[in-house]
Amino acid sequence: MPQDWRPFVFGGIGSVAAEFGTFPIDLTKTRLQVQGQKSEANFRELKYRGMFHALVRISKEEGVKALYSGIRPAVLRQASYGTIKIGCYHTFKRLLVERPEDESLAINVLCGIAAGIISSSIANPTDVLKVRMQAQSQRFANATMVTSFVNIYQQEGTRGLWRGVGPTAQRAAVVAGVELPAYDWSKKLIINYTQLGDSISNHFM
């Protein structure tokens, strides 16, 4: 059976597009998570009361452009993580089951978990840099993406680039093991019980 490259390409494109649309929300989440830390002076102040307050305050104090601080490593992450996750998920399914209609929920969950672990482990350095740039750590505030990668490697070594890979992979396993099978089974139900068929409208639903 020839390798189908389309899930890799379309999965990467879709992941990057989604990242652009949702990035400000992800940034406010990171800011809310890191504020109030007593161990680092930059994050001790509780500046934000919630997501909408954070969006407004960041826009006023730092400019709208600040809502996309860290977008470059985030796009790079989705171009790698999203591409590998979606591509591996569909590839693993075809290795285990030849016909889509013969897929079971257990197989889909297993393939989703495997795809999530593999993709998140490979893309972990981009996730590390994205979070640090979002948090506005002083070391990364004005640095380019390449310079930031080099700084992390020089100061923390390879382990610094893969810091937190264990929890990240565990989270990705749960997320991919739920969202990808849920999407497949929802699509299958719509195909079986509506007139939409396997159409673009079905995929958007």
Side-chain angles (χ1 to χ4, degrees):
M1 181 181 65
Q3 176 64 51
D4 188 358
W5 52 265
R6 290 173 299 177
F8 289 91
V9 174
F10 297 148
I13 293 173
S15 297
V16 169
E19 186 68 26
F20 270 108
T22 60
F23 189 81
I25 297 173
D26 191 43
L27 181 135
T28 58
K29 180 206 73 171
T30 301
R31 294 285 187 97
L32 288 165
Q33 286 176 327
V34 300
Q35 69 175 353
Q37 293 185 29
K38 296 181 179 180
S39 59
E40 191 164 349
N42 292 338
F43 304 136
R44 286 177 183 172
E45 181 186 356
L46 292 172
K47 298 176 64 175
Y48 313 114
R49 296 193 299 269
M51 184 183 71
F52 292 108
H53 180 255
L55 283 170
V56 172
R57 184 165 181 177
I58 292 169
S59 300
K60 287 183 177 180
E61 295 181 354
E62 304 174 38
V64 176
K65 187 178 179 181
L67 294 174
Y68 282 87
S69 177
I71 186 63
R72 288 171 295 173
V75 168
L76 179 60
R77 176 183 182 272
Q78 287 300 340
S80 54
Y81 169 72
T83 299
I84 297 169
K85 180 180 72 173
I86 303 297
C88 284
Y89 175 65
H90 286 279
T91 300
F92 294 158
K93 288 196 301 177
R94 293 291 75 80
L95 288 173
L96 296 176
V97 179
E98 187 171 346
R99 298 190 309 166
E101 53 267 29
D102 293 334
E103 295 173 10
S104 67
L105 181 59
I107 287 177
N108 288 2
V109 170
L110 178 64
C111 293
I113 291 173
I117 292 173
I118 292 171
S119 57
S120 63
S121 298
I122 293 173
N124 195 77
T126 59
D127 197 42
V128 169
L129 182 56
K130 181 196 76 167
V131 171
R132 295 190 185 191
M133 291 183 75
Q134 284 180 325
Q136 288 291 290
S137 179
Q138 197 63 35
R139 185 149 50 109
F140 303 98
N142 300 311
T144 65
M145 185 169 65
V146 175
T147 302
S148 298
F149 275 124
V150 172
N151 287 340
I152 294 174
Y153 177 75
Q154 288 178 339
Q155 297 184 27
E156 304 176 42
T158 305
R159 293 181 64 180
L161 292 171
W162 267 270
R163 187 179 302 276
V165 66
T168 300
Q170 292 172 14
R171 177 183 179 277
V174 174
V175 171
V178 173
E179 70 174 358
L180 297 177
Y183 171 80
D184 275 346
W185 278 81
S186 298
K187 182 181 70 175
K188 187 178 293 185
L189 288 173
I190 294 173
I191 291 173
N192 290 338
Y193 295 102
T194 71
Q195 302 298 318
L196 289 177
D198 193 3
S199 61
I200 294 178
S201 300
N202 184 348
H203 288 260
F204 271 106
M205 288 185 65

